[in-house]
Amino acid sequence: MSKVVVFDHPLIQHKMSIIRNKNTDTKTFRENVNEIGSLVTYEVTRDLQTKEIEIETPISFTKAKILAKDVVIVPILRAGLGMVDGIQNVIPTAKVGHVGVYRDETTLMPHEYYLKFPIGIEEATVLVVDPMLATGGSAIATIDRVKQHGAKDIRFVGLVGCPEGIKALQDKHPDIDIYVVSIDEKLNEVGYIVPGLGDCGDRLFGTK
Ligand code: PRP
Ligand code: URA
């Protein structure tokens, strides 16, 4: 079974309280989502493999370590986009694949409307990114597609999860490690996380 990692770093918790607050404006919300994206990336990538190379410093030759595999970030549109800049600040060489998925407001079922992955995704470490893990439908559908394209080393990176979404994702993809900042109490009757932070896409892009 995969592991579920919940971040409790004070800096991350501080920023979470900013984005949870309904009075936070769009610009501040977007900035803090990105900053949390940067901070969680250190822990999400802690066990990435490295390989040894030989380099020449100004003084002598020495062995040094670099990442053994490419990293591909796969944000689930739209809200996943909010964390991409923050992650790329820490891993500037990361490529980005996009999956467009929206939830049907009535059935809560995911619908895919866009897909574009970089060449070489099958050999890369893939970070599937979405701030919200609610029913888990969008994450499951996206990871299905990432696996169909041959990727084997996949992690899910989110901000707010809930027991229902974590269980659904673990049941469907027991091999995927899940990283979130909080596991909130529950889903409400219309599929929103309680207490959550509302509709993340709308808050990031100012669409409501
Ligand atoms: C939101 C959110 C996740 C999804 C989570 O997207 O950004 O992708 O819901 O819910 P789930 O776990 O129940 O699938 P939404 O469908 O609102 O699209 P948007 O990001 O384009 O607003
Ligand atoms: N998507 C969101 O943006 N927020 C939720 O609480 C659930 C799904």
Side-chain angles (χ1 to χ4, degrees):
M1 180 60 82
S2 65
K3 62 179 176 188
V4 179
V5 178
V6 181
F7 298 106
D8 60 358
H9 193 288
L11 287 177
I12 298 177
Q13 295 301 332
H14 181 89
K15 292 178 190 302
M16 281 300 287
S17 69
I18 295 172
I19 64 171
R20 281 188 191 276
N21 188 332
K22 71 174 191 177
N23 296 318
T24 296
D25 63 83
T26 303
K27 176 174 179 285
T28 309
F29 185 90
R30 197 169 50 238
E31 286 169 355
N32 278 275
V33 168
N34 261 311
E35 286 165 13
I36 297 170
S38 296
L39 292 171
V40 299
T41 302
Y42 286 98
E43 208 51 47
V44 172
T45 55
R46 176 176 287 280
D47 63 347
L48 288 190
Q49 289 169 10
T50 54
K51 65 180 177 191
E52 213 168 64
I53 57 166
E54 185 155 286
I55 57 167
E56 187 178 6
T57 76
I59 310 298
S60 72
F61 285 93
T62 187
K63 293 190 189 317
K65 287 179 179 173
I66 58 170
L67 291 180
K69 297 200 288 186
D70 285 344
V71 175
V72 171
I73 309 165
V74 176
I76 303 177
L77 310 185
R78 292 175 297 165
L81 289 173
M83 295 172 71
V84 172
D85 285 351
I87 299 173
Q88 278 190 315
N89 281 342
V90 182
I91 320 172
T93 55
K95 296 173 184 165
V96 183
H98 295 87
V99 178
V101 177
Y102 73 90
R103 293 198 308 179
D104 181 288
E105 280 181 14
T106 315
T107 66
L108 302 182
M109 294 303 290
H111 293 275
E112 182 185 306
Y113 58 89
Y114 187 78
L115 183 94
K116 183 84 175 175
F117 289 146
I119 293 166
I121 191 171
E122 59 281 0
E123 300 304 330
T125 298
V126 180
L127 309 181
V128 172
V129 177
D130 192 329
M132 310 307 286
L133 181 64
T135 66
S138 304
I140 290 167
T142 301
I143 293 169
D144 284 344
R145 298 293 264 150
V146 171
K147 285 185 174 175
Q148 280 167 16
H149 282 72
K152 294 166 279 297
D153 177 6
I154 308 164
R155 296 147 201 233
F156 177 83
V157 186
L159 300 186
V160 185
C162 60
E164 296 90 332
I166 301 269
K167 181 174 185 320
L169 184 50
Q170 280 189 316
D171 285 351
K172 198 72 203 300
H173 292 295
D175 54 319
I176 304 299
D177 289 340
I178 300 171
Y179 297 84
V180 288
V181 175
S182 172
I183 301 176
D184 278 14
E185 190 187 325
K186 61 177 182 183
L187 284 182
N188 69 12
E189 58 289 349
V190 287
Y192 276 81
I193 298 173
V194 181
L197 49 75
D199 189 307
C200 194
D202 284 338
R203 296 198 65 192
L204 276 168
F205 297 107
T207 38
K208 251 181 205 161

